[in-house]
Amino acid sequence: MGLIWSLIVGAIIGVIAGAITGRGSSMGWIANIVAGLVGSWLGQAIFGSWGPSLAGMAIVPSIIGAIILVLVVSFFVGRNKQAAS
């Protein structure tokens, strides 16, 4: 049950990060989950584990990390799409 809860919280974090950056509509559910989980790890590694937590993820640093991840990935993916055109 812990894994399912982590995936749900990761998806929510990914959706929030996508909504804040304006790039959430182009991402699917799998990408939202990955962005949430990897962004959570990244945010907690950079900013620490402060604030409220769900499923072992500190919410505020996780969202900030997911935003950073979404922006960096969309920068490189957007660059490749422009070069291919």
Side-chain angles (χ1 to χ4, degrees):
M1 188 66 180
L3 176 64
I4 294 171
W5 185 241
S6 294
L7 292 175
I8 291 169
V9 172
I12 292 169
I13 290 171
V15 167
I16 292 170
I20 291 172
T21 59
R23 291 169 171 84
S25 61
S26 63
M27 296 174 23
W29 280 103
I30 305 267
N32 281 330
I33 292 170
V34 171
L37 293 175
V38 175
S40 176
W41 172 82
L42 178 68
Q44 290 184 49
I46 294 172
F47 302 112
S49 296
W50 50 273
S53 294
L54 282 174
M57 295 179 237
I59 300 300
V60 177
S62 297
I63 291 172
I64 295 170
I67 290 170
I68 293 169
L69 180 70
V70 168
L71 289 175
V72 168
V73 169
S74 65
F75 174 76
F76 287 111
V77 170
R79 179 184 284 184
N80 290 338
K81 286 183 180 179
Q82 292 174 354
S85 298

